[in-house]
Amino acid sequence: MLHDPAQLDLMFQALSDPARRSMVERLSRGPASVSQLAEPLAMSLSAVVQHLNVLEASGLVRSEKLGRVRTCQIAPQALRSAEHWINERRLTWERRLDRLGDFLAGTE
């Protein structure tokens, strides 16, 4: 189980927006500047920065500013936390469905 359920809530909230998911997908290929992340999106640079702020607050993305360029990168540990939570739910349902399958196989 995760140590901070509130952080998990922020992650899933951050991933609920298609633009933010697009940014995470792009960052999964490697670091990118804010302008590189904004390039394929039909929104202003300030809107992209707001989305990045949500991603950073969730812990999914980190950024650093060198000179005039802010470079963002994925925070893999945060993604692993979300993956762990999802896998726990998946395993629970697989076990339940396996038991149901065993029960139904025994009632034929």
Side-chain angles (χ1 to χ4, degrees), residues 12 19 35 44 52 65 74 79 87 100:
F12 284 120
S35 55
S44 68
L52 283 170
K65 190 170 185 178
I74 211 80
L79 286 176
N87 282 335
L100 176 60

Side-chain angles (χ1 to χ4, degrees), residues 30-103:
S33 68
V34 173
S35 55
Q36 288 171 322
L37 291 172
E39 195 172 295
L41 301 172
M43 64 179 68
S44 68
L45 195 57
S46 63
V48 169
V49 169
Q50 287 177 339
H51 282 294
L52 283 170
N53 287 338
V54 172
L55 288 169
E56 284 191 77
S58 75
L60 290 167
V61 170
R62 291 187 307 245
S63 71
E64 99 179 313
K65 190 170 185 178
L66 295 171
R68 296 179 62 184
V69 177
R70 179 167 295 282
T71 302
C72 303
Q73 61 185 12
I74 211 80
Q77 184 55 42
L79 286 176
R80 280 191 280 280
S81 296
E83 178 185 24
H84 178 73
W85 186 89
I86 290 169
N87 282 335
E88 283 183 351
R89 306 299 72 71
R90 181 185 54 77
L91 289 172
T92 298
W93 277 102
E94 284 178 357
R95 285 190 292 268
R96 288 177 181 172
L97 292 173
D98 287 346
R99 286 195 313 265
L100 176 60
D102 292 344
F103 174 78

Side-chain angles (χ1 to χ4, degrees), residues 18-30 37 74:
R20 291 191 290 263
R21 285 193 308 272
S22 173
M23 291 178 200
V24 169
E25 286 178 34
R26 167 54 188 88
L27 291 171
S28 68
R29 295 190 305 268
L37 291 172
I74 211 80

